[in-house]
Amino acid sequence: MAQKILVIGGVALGPKAACRCKRLMPDAEITLVDENLFISYGGCGIPYYVSGEVNNLDDLRATPYHTVRDPEFFRTMKGITVRNQTRAMAIDRAAKTLLVRNVVTGEEEKLPYDKLVLATGATPRMPPVEGHDLKNVLTLTRLEAADVIRKACEHGQVNEAVIVGGGFIGLEAAVALSDMWGVKVSVVEMMDQMLPGVLSHNMGKMAAHDCEAHGLSVYTSEKVVKLEGKDGAVCKVITDKRELPAQLVIFAAGFLPNGQLAKDAGLEVAPFGAIVVNEKMQTSDPDIYAGGDCVAIKNLITGKLGYLPLGSMANRQGRVIGTNLAGGDASFPGFVGTWAVKLFDMSFCGAGLTVERARKEGYDALSVAVEQLDRAHFYPEKNMMSLELVVDKSDRRVLGIQGACTAGDALKARIDAVAAVLQYGKPTVEDISNLEISYAPPFASAMDVVNVVANVADNVLAGRVKPITSEEFMALWEKRAENNIFFIDARPAKAGQAVQAVHPEWHSISLEEMPSRVNEVPKDRPVAIICNTGLRAYDSVLILARNGITDVVNAAGGMQAVLKTGGKI
């Protein structure tokens, strides 16, 4: 007798699980239920429709061979019944039925199942502020909202917009509105940095500077308290620090997993609302599977249950569920949290834990940062890449990596290489130092930047160098009248002398001059040294150490990192 399989949710995981199961078990009777009109679309592509990089909304619903994935497509091409505009109301586990309601007619019925898949996704977090129900206050997760925003921009109805939230979706939306439509955009983030939780504070400043350099206003450590309207539409955003005019407000302040349907059915749900599943993606009821943005998954770095709503993960989990529905034995062991986002000039990418997150999880963590070219230094086309490696001091275990570069594909290649090692093991500094990276001058240096950042970590752990972030270096410089620090610029003389001419307390002593001028460096004062990327400064530190000068800190990433964070000498 054919298995009756119901799938609740039709965006990413649901269709993937349904189609995979049908391929492996062609006689299965599969019905996909979703309360929305549109199904099976690339939600992560919505900001690129708003920006105009994706011209047609249907492109987000189409296959690579340009067939729109609508209910008829699934019926004729996949043999799957789709009940869109149908809301799942309640699960009766004893009777193995699902109560559903047609959102248009209000008609209810019970659908029987042998196996059930919960792909209920997540709901954008909408703070309960006054005015949140005004017209043109939206979230950017559904195609309908994307179309409203795009048309409003095309008709010149939006001159000022406020994005609430400085995470992936918020920043992508901000870039889309500003870059394509010339909208004056303000980003309000309640945490103290952009991309909180996935970037270090210092790299978060790089993200903010990239936005501000292109006309965005970035407000961190700030909270929206009220929205005001005119004629029923939003016209102003009031924060705890300022007032911002706006004809459009997009809330992108995170997500809440849709686990209530599962909880009401007596399934195990994590304290933060996500459905608990095992490695087979089964819930506490073995006949009910769940995946995507509604589930809690083990973080492979910490070993704890975590939550990471990403379309890539939902698709991989969907394949696992589809395999197991058909009698297979597939597993999804967990995640390390690999991500990427493109802003204006800069792209950012990461995997694992930031140093701040690692310390909160109880690790004795440090981070090291480098600036190095992504290709051989003698190759004509090259880009400066920032990498930051997070390490546990107690056992030298690598806990995470983040990076920034104008060449997003080159950056992603490095992060993905480390992510793969993090996913399948517990790599140490030595493992990354010796990680095999393909080499040719158009693609990489002979000693790749990934290897270099691990080598720097090894030097820091051994006490050979004391790095500080560009932000910390600038704080020392700004307080130079109080801290008695001797500042050295180890760049070639021309660059250093230009600053020294303006600031006499800035000492231009290039690496080449260091051996002959070392006596100019006082032994009774702390020293802070900087160069362009950190390499010349490190060699200078070694020369100073050989001459008995060891109270020295080195600005990690050098002037390149200072400039990327918006600093100026």
Side-chain angles (χ1 to χ4, degrees), residues 215-489:
L216 266 63
S217 297
V218 175
Y219 304 110
T220 55
S221 301
E222 196 157 330
K223 185 177 180 180
V224 172
V225 296
K226 182 182 178 182
L227 306 180
E228 289 187 355
K230 182 179 181 181
D231 299 327
V234 69
C235 67
K236 185 184 294 185
V237 176
I238 300 175
T239 76
D240 54 0
K241 295 181 181 177
R242 74 193 77 242
E243 296 184 357
L244 299 167
Q247 297 83 48
L248 172 68
V249 175
I250 297 176
F251 274 90
F255 293 90
L256 297 172
N258 293 331
Q260 192 61 46
L261 185 68
K263 186 175 182 180
D264 291 343
L267 300 176
E268 184 182 358
V269 173
F272 50 89
I275 305 166
V276 176
V277 294
N278 61 20
E279 289 192 1
K280 307 300 178 185
M281 303 306 294
Q282 290 170 302
T283 68
S284 51
D285 182 333
D287 288 330
I288 301 178
Y289 293 79
D293 295 357
C294 64
V295 301
I297 298 292
K298 184 170 75 172
N299 185 308
L300 295 174
I301 306 295
T302 67
K304 301 176 183 177
L305 279 182
Y307 181 64
L308 186 65
L310 288 177
S312 57
M313 194 155 66
N315 274 275
R316 289 185 286 120
Q317 291 171 358
R319 181 180 171 86
V320 169
I321 291 173
T323 299
N324 292 339
L325 286 169
D329 189 33
S331 296
F332 189 90
F335 70 91
V336 296
T338 310
W339 58 271
V341 65
K342 182 183 183 302
L343 300 184
F344 289 94
D345 293 335
M346 303 293 292
S347 293
F348 295 83
C349 193
L353 307 180
T354 65
V355 67
E356 294 89 353
R357 172 79 186 281
R359 288 167 181 165
K360 288 180 181 178
E361 292 290 345
Y363 294 100
D364 185 14
L366 63 81
S367 66
V368 296
V370 299
E371 295 279 342
Q372 180 175 305
L373 295 171
D374 62 342
R375 294 165 172 81
H377 67 275
F378 50 79
Y379 191 74
E381 299 173 5
K382 48 190 174 286
N383 308 278
M384 190 62 69
M385 184 177 292
S386 310
L387 280 189
E388 186 170 333
L389 195 70
V390 182
V391 178
D392 188 350
K393 289 188 281 188
S394 64
D395 59 4
R396 303 172 69 86
R397 178 187 173 191
V398 173
L399 302 173
I401 186 169
Q402 299 91 45
C405 189
T406 54
D409 51 354
L411 173 65
K412 182 180 182 297
R414 269 68 173 202
I415 299 299
D416 282 348
V418 177
V421 183
L422 290 171
Q423 186 175 358
Y424 295 106
K426 295 183 178 181
T428 64
V429 169
E430 287 72 24
D431 294 323
I432 306 304
S433 174
N434 290 311
L435 190 67
E436 188 169 334
I437 303 293
S438 57
Y439 166 61
F443 303 105
S445 299
M447 179 67 78
D448 191 77
V449 60
V450 168
N451 307 122
V452 169
V453 74
N455 293 341
V456 173
D458 175 61
N459 288 332
V460 173
L461 290 169
R464 301 184 189 100
V465 63
K466 301 173 187 174
I468 57 175
T469 67
S470 59
E471 187 176 14
E472 290 169 332
F473 180 87
M474 290 303 297
L476 293 177
W477 174 247
E478 289 166 5
K479 296 181 179 179
R480 57 191 180 276
E482 308 165 23
N483 54 34
N484 197 37
I485 289 175
F486 189 85
F487 291 89
I488 297 176
D489 187 336

Side-chain angles (χ1 to χ4, degrees), residues 92-167:
D92 186 334
R93 291 167 54 200
K96 283 198 162 185
T97 61
L98 173 69
L99 177 66
V100 299
R101 176 187 296 160
N102 186 296
V103 299
V104 178
T105 67
E107 181 183 355
E108 293 187 352
E109 63 179 304
K110 291 184 177 180
L111 305 178
Y113 70 84
D114 295 306
K115 302 288 185 183
L116 180 64
V117 179
L118 303 179
T120 49
T123 300
R125 190 187 300 273
M126 178 74 79
V129 297
E130 181 182 342
H132 71 274
D133 54 351
L134 289 165
K135 185 180 177 181
N136 296 333
V137 177
L138 302 167
T139 61
L140 201 57
T141 57
R142 293 187 177 182
L143 297 185
E144 295 88 341
D147 206 30
V148 168
I149 295 169
R150 170 80 171 261
K151 287 177 179 176
C153 291
E154 287 176 339
H155 291 94
Q157 297 169 353
V158 180
N159 298 313
E160 298 139 322
V162 173
I163 311 297
V164 184

Side-chain angles (χ1 to χ4, degrees), residues 40-53:
S40 194
Y41 56 84
C44 295
I46 287 176
Y48 302 99
Y49 171 73
V50 173
S51 72
E53 291 167 275

Side-chain angles (χ1 to χ4, degrees), residues 24-37:
L24 300 180
M25 192 165 62
D27 62 342
E29 296 179 8
I30 302 177
T31 300
L32 191 152
V33 175
D34 193 283
E35 67 181 8
N36 298 298
L37 177 63

